Amino acid sequence: LYCRLNALKALCRFGSPACLVQAIQAQDDGVLLTHEKLLTETLLTYQGDHPQLIAALWAQLDRFTPHTQLALLNYIRFRSGQWGREMLALLAREDQPKELRLAAIRYFGRYVYPPALDLLLAFARDQDPSRWEYTTVAVTALARYPQPRVVNTLKQALRSGNWYIRSAAAQSLEEQQVDY
């Protein structure tokens, strides 16, 4: 594990997107997986052109396992707000794994992207108890979208039977400076 991480860190210092994508693909094809947080944190140390690396990673995103895709989406979330259209397309696909869709929702909680608002509201209004994670993360992301219909949706979420949803809704309303 240390060998793999050190090699990946060295490639991050080298600054070649093509080499780094190739190394991530080789690691992804192996038996031993690197934890997604370690991969994300290592990519954040990249010393080359981040937009160029992100474009190279996105071009190959479908070739990686969902485990690695999650790390890459998190890296993109921390480095660039220029991928809203692509993240929205990923979020809209119901065939995507839950964690990847949640990562896309978190992206919209960091970067305001108005075309994503309707989908975020739909997730926030979802009453299905089995989909509470989507609702919780969407309610959290909506804190960045100060609009009356968002406030109304957040107020409705305060009545949820799920404590996490209620707590997230209260925090989002507080961030929007909505008083009693």
Side-chain angles (χ1 to χ4, degrees), residues 86-154:
E86 292 82 358
M87 288 287 189
L88 183 57
L90 186 145
L91 178 59
R93 289 185 48 199
E94 291 185 17
D95 64 330
Q96 290 294 320
K98 175 179 72 174
E99 289 303 323
L100 299 184
R101 295 180 82 199
L102 291 174
I105 294 172
R106 287 184 188 99
Y107 180 89
F108 297 122
R110 185 173 178 102
Y111 305 104
V112 174
Y113 186 66
L117 182 58
D118 289 333
L119 196 50
L120 292 174
L121 288 169
F123 279 115
R125 292 179 183 133
D126 192 346
Q127 302 279 329
D128 185 350
S130 68
R131 296 171 50 89
W132 69 271
E133 290 128 322
Y134 288 108
T135 305
T136 304
V137 178
V139 164
T140 302
L142 287 171
R144 302 276 313 235
Y145 296 80
Q147 294 183 14
R149 64 186 182 142
V150 171
V151 171
N152 289 335
T153 299
L154 293 173

Side-chain angles (χ1 to χ4, degrees), residues 25-80:
Q25 185 65 55
Q27 174 241 288
D28 196 45
D29 291 341
V31 176
L32 179 66
L33 291 176
T34 303
H35 192 277
E36 65 263 5
K37 288 186 180 184
L38 291 175
L39 180 55
T40 299
E41 287 175 11
T42 302
L43 288 172
L44 289 171
T45 68
Y46 180 69
Q47 294 182 2
D49 185 329
H50 286 280
Q52 196 175 29
L53 174 60
I54 292 170
L57 290 170
W58 196 276
Q60 301 294 320
L61 193 67
D62 290 337
R63 295 185 61 211
F64 297 111
T65 63
H67 173 85
T68 299
Q69 287 177 348
L70 178 60
L72 300 178
L73 292 177
N74 287 332
Y75 161 69
I76 293 168
R77 174 171 44 111
F78 290 125
R79 281 294 175 188
S80 177

